[in-house]
Structure formats: structure tokens, C-alpha cells
Amino acid sequence: MVPSVEFDVEKISDIEWNDEAFANLVLPSGRKQLLQSLVEAHDQDIGFDDFVQGKGQGLVINLFGPPGCGKTLSAEATSEHVRKPLYVVGAGDLGVTATEIDQALERTFDIATSWKAIILIDEVGFCPRTLGYVGV
């Protein structure tokens, strides 16, 4: 039996995007311009696909650096800039075994695809080392 749920639709409102978030993002100008160009080009429907249909339509950006350098803020500002929801997943929530992580990532990508969202996998530097990875 599927549980029933209720939603208070009177509380639903349009998203109020922050148009200043990306403009106020402080990154070296070359990196900021590259990030902006990549996400804007990806946001446009140019009809490009890989040799395997549906495979080449993603964009992966690896933000790395010490705590406090702006990785999460960059993802948040980018989400605001292209007016796409940001789906945040903690790396620790993905699981410990390869099978758990694979299943969790598949669910995450399915949700993000249906929402047309940007995924932020946060705190990847704290992933368990039980999988045999030496570094992140």
C-alpha cells in the first residue's frame, strides 16, 4: 500500500533566483570566465550528442581546494546563474561499498535529470578509504 501524503499548495511560490550570486563570486577571472562559459554552453540546447546516444550530454566540473576556498559557493552561484535547482548530496550519504555508491549515484542522477538540476556532491574529501582509493 502506498502511503498518502498531503501538500499545502497555498505555500508554494515561484523560485526567487539571486541574479547577483554569480556576479559576486570571487574567483580568479580566467577560472570564473571558464566556469561561466562551460555552464552557459551546456545550458543551451545545441543538439550535441556522443557516439553513444544520450551519453555525451552531461557536464562534470571537479572543484577542489582546501576548506573555505569557495567550492560550495561556486556551485551555489552557478546554480543561481543558470536558474537550475542545486541538488546537494553528502558524499557520506552515498554509502560505503561500491555497490551502495553505484546505486545511490544512479538514484541521484535520475532525480537530477528529472529536475534538470545541478548536482553538488559535497565533502568528497571525506569519502571512506575502504574502497581502495588512495586519494580523491
Side-chain angles (χ1 to χ4, degrees):
M1 182 172 155
V2 176
S4 63
V5 294
E6 293 183 21
F7 294 99
D8 188 356
V9 294
E10 293 177 12
K11 305 280 185 186
I12 295 176
S13 63
D14 290 336
I15 297 171
E16 295 181 23
W17 299 104
N18 181 349
D19 294 325
E20 300 300 315
F22 198 84
N24 293 327
L25 182 62
V26 179
L27 291 175
S29 63
R31 290 188 183 152
K32 184 174 179 178
Q33 184 178 8
L34 177 61
L35 178 60
Q36 182 175 2
S37 298
L38 286 170
V39 296
E40 286 177 359
H42 183 263
D43 193 40
Q44 297 173 0
D45 186 13
I46 58 174
F48 172 78
D49 205 352
D50 203 333
F51 294 111
V52 177
Q53 187 175 4
K55 177 180 166 264
Q57 297 176 350
L59 175 64
V60 176
I61 299 175
N62 181 21
L63 303 174
F64 60 93
C69 72
K71 300 177 297 290
T72 301
L73 181 60
S74 295
E76 293 167 344
T78 299
S79 167
E80 295 285 338
H81 179 67
V82 294
R83 296 175 178 246
K84 304 266 185 203
L86 182 66
Y87 184 38
V88 181
V89 178
D93 297 330
L94 295 175
V96 177
T97 68
T99 301
E100 290 172 344
I101 293 170
D102 185 56
Q103 291 170 350
L105 284 173
E106 188 170 330
R107 283 190 309 271
T108 300
F109 289 131
D110 286 346
I111 291 168
T113 298
S114 66
W115 289 359
K116 298 186 184 328
I118 292 174
I119 301 171
L120 169 61
I121 303 176
D122 210 6
E123 303 299 339
V124 175
F126 297 105
C127 280
R129 295 181 179 256
T130 58
L131 299 177
Y133 298 129
V134 182
V136 178

